[in-house]
C-alpha cells in the first residue's frame, strides 16, 4: 500500500477529510417541520398574546433557525434581546445562526457576549471555539475547548473539536485519545468515528481505521467521507474489491469526492 499512499500523502488526506467533517457534530440540524405553517402560527399566537415576552420570540427564533429560515430567526432573536438583553442563551442561539449564515465575526461577538454574561456557559465556548478552529486560530480555539473540558469532562463536543485541532496539527495520537473520549461519551455520533478513522489512517493502522469507519457508515449510511475513508482503509489492507465498493458508494453520494475518485483510479472501476 505504501507505493500508492506514502506517509506524506496519508497526512494530506487526513487534513482534507478533517476539514470536511467541520460542523457535522455540533450544529443544530435543519428540521423543516419546526418551521411548518402550523407550528409557526402557534408560536406567533403566543407572541400576539404576550408581545413583551422575550422567551416567546426566542422560542420562535429557534424554530425558524431549525427550519433554515435564518433571517427570520435573527429578527426574532433581535427582538428577544431588546426585551431581555441579559439572555445569554439567546446570544448563543443568534451566534449559531450567524455562524450558519457565514457571518463569523457577528457569531464570535454573540458567543463572547453570552460568555460575558455567564462565564461557565459551555455552549458558547464550543461555538466560539469552532469558529476559531475553522479560522486556523488554534490557540484561541484550544483555550475555549480546554475551558469546557476543565469544567465539564462529560462534554463530548469539546473533546471532539479539540481532537480536530490536534489532527490538523498532525498530533494524531493525541487526536485519537480525544476522539476516543468523545465516542465514549456519545457513541451514537458518527463524526468522531470518522475523525478517529482518519487519524488511524495517518498513523498507518488500517485495521483500526476500518473498524471505526465501518461503524461510521453504520451510523450514517449517507456519509461520502466515511465511505471514501473506509475504501482507503480497505485498500491499505489489500482488499481492492471491497475498497472499490466503498469508493463507488462514496462517489454515488458525492460525485466530487476526490479521495474516492483517486481510489477508483488505483483499484479500477470493476
Amino acid at each position: 500500500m505504501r507505493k500508492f499512499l506514502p506517509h506524506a500523502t496519508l497526512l494530506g488526506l487526513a487534513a482534507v477529510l478533517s476539514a470536511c467533517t467541520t460542523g457535522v457534530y455540533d450544529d443544530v440540524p435543519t428540521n423543516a417541520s419546526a418551521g411548518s405553517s402550523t407550528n409557526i402560527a402557534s408560536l406567533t399566537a403566543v407572541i400576539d398574546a404576550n408581545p413583551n415576552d422575550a422567551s416567546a420570540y426566542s422560542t420562535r427564533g429557534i424554530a425558524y433557525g431549525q427550519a433554515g429560515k435564518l433571517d427570520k430567526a435573527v429578527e426574532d432573536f433581535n427582538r428577544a434581546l431588546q426585551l431581555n438583553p441579559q439572555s445569554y442563551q439567546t446570544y448563543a442561539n443568534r451566534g449559531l445562526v450567524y455562524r450558519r449564515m457565514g457571518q463569523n465575526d457577528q457569531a464570535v461577538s454573540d458567543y463572547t457576549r453570552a460568555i460575558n454574561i455567564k462565564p461557565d456557559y459551555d455552549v458558547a465556548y464550543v461555538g466560539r471555539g469552532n469558529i476559531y478552529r475553522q479560522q486556523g486560530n488554534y490557540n484561541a480555539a484550544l483555550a475555549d475547548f480546554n475551558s469546557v473540558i476543565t469544567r465539564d469532562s462529560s462534554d463530548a463536543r469539546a473533546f471532539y473539536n479539540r481532537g480536530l485541532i490536534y489532527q490538523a496539527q498532525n498530533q494524531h495520537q493525541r487526536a485519537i485519545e480525544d476522539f476516543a473520549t468523545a465516542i465514549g461519551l456519545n457513541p451514537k455520533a458518527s463524526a468522531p468515528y470518522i475523525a478517529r478513522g482518519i487519524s488511524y489512517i495517518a498513523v498507518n493502522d488500517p485495521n483500526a481505521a476500518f473498524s471505526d469507519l465501518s461503524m461510521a457508515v453504520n451510523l450514517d449510511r449517507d456519509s461520502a467521507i466515511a465511505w471514501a475513508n473506509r475504501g482507503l482503509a480497505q485498500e491499505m489492507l489489500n482488499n481492492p474489491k471491497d475498497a472499490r465498493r466503498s469508493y463507488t458508494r462514496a462517489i454515488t453520494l458525492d460525485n466530487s469526492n476526490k479521495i474516492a475518485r483517486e481510489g477508483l483510479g488505483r483499484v479500477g472501476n470493476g
Side-chain angles (χ1 to χ4, degrees), residues 58-269:
S58 184
T59 300
R60 191 175 67 176
I62 292 170
Y64 278 136
Q66 289 178 324
K69 300 176 181 179
L70 305 183
D71 289 336
K72 289 184 176 295
V74 169
E75 291 177 5
D76 274 357
F77 292 142
N78 289 346
R79 180 57 180 156
L81 288 167
Q82 289 175 353
L83 294 168
N84 181 12
Q86 294 301 305
S87 175
Y88 56 89
Q89 299 100 323
T90 302
Y91 276 117
N93 285 328
R94 192 175 68 176
L96 175 57
V97 170
Y98 278 141
R99 181 181 166 202
R100 290 173 62 187
M101 295 170 75
Q103 299 179 23
N104 285 337
D105 289 344
Q106 293 93 324
V108 167
S109 178
D110 271 359
Y111 286 132
T112 301
R113 289 175 182 173
I115 289 167
N116 288 340
I117 295 169
K118 187 173 175 55
D120 62 349
Y121 192 43
D122 291 344
V123 169
Y125 284 97
V126 171
R128 189 176 68 176
N130 271 321
I131 295 173
Y132 288 147
R133 176 178 59 79
Q134 292 164 3
Q135 293 174 336
N137 188 354
Y138 293 148
N139 288 336
L142 282 171
D144 277 349
F145 296 136
N146 286 337
S147 179
V148 175
I149 289 168
T150 298
R151 279 191 305 277
D152 180 7
S153 60
S154 66
D155 194 312
R157 300 163 305 166
F159 284 101
Y160 166 71
N161 285 290
R162 189 175 70 174
L164 290 180
I165 294 174
Y166 292 145
Q167 186 178 74
Q169 296 175 328
N170 292 330
Q171 299 184 58
H172 290 287
Q173 291 298 341
R174 297 181 75 177
I176 287 167
E177 291 174 7
D178 271 359
F179 296 143
T181 301
I183 289 168
L185 293 168
N186 184 4
K188 298 301 183 181
S190 63
Y193 287 103
I194 297 172
R196 190 171 67 174
I198 290 167
S199 281
Y200 277 134
I201 288 172
V203 299
N204 199 31
D205 189 346
N207 284 296
F210 175 72
S211 177
D212 273 355
L213 294 160
S214 294
M215 178 63 73
V217 298
N218 285 334
L219 291 168
D220 182 1
R221 304 294 294 178
D222 295 327
S223 173
I225 299 168
W227 283 107
N229 275 297
R230 186 171 184 263
L232 187 56
Q234 290 167 316
E235 191 179 352
M236 293 173 71
L237 290 167
N238 198 30
N239 294 322
K241 291 183 179 180
D242 291 338
R244 185 183 305 120
R245 283 192 285 268
S246 291
Y247 287 143
T248 300
R249 176 62 175 164
I251 289 293
T252 300
L253 293 166
D254 178 7
N255 190 53
S256 66
N257 189 288
K258 182 178 179 181
I259 305 306
R261 285 196 167 278
E262 291 180 352
L264 284 175
R266 291 189 299 271
V267 302
N269 290 304

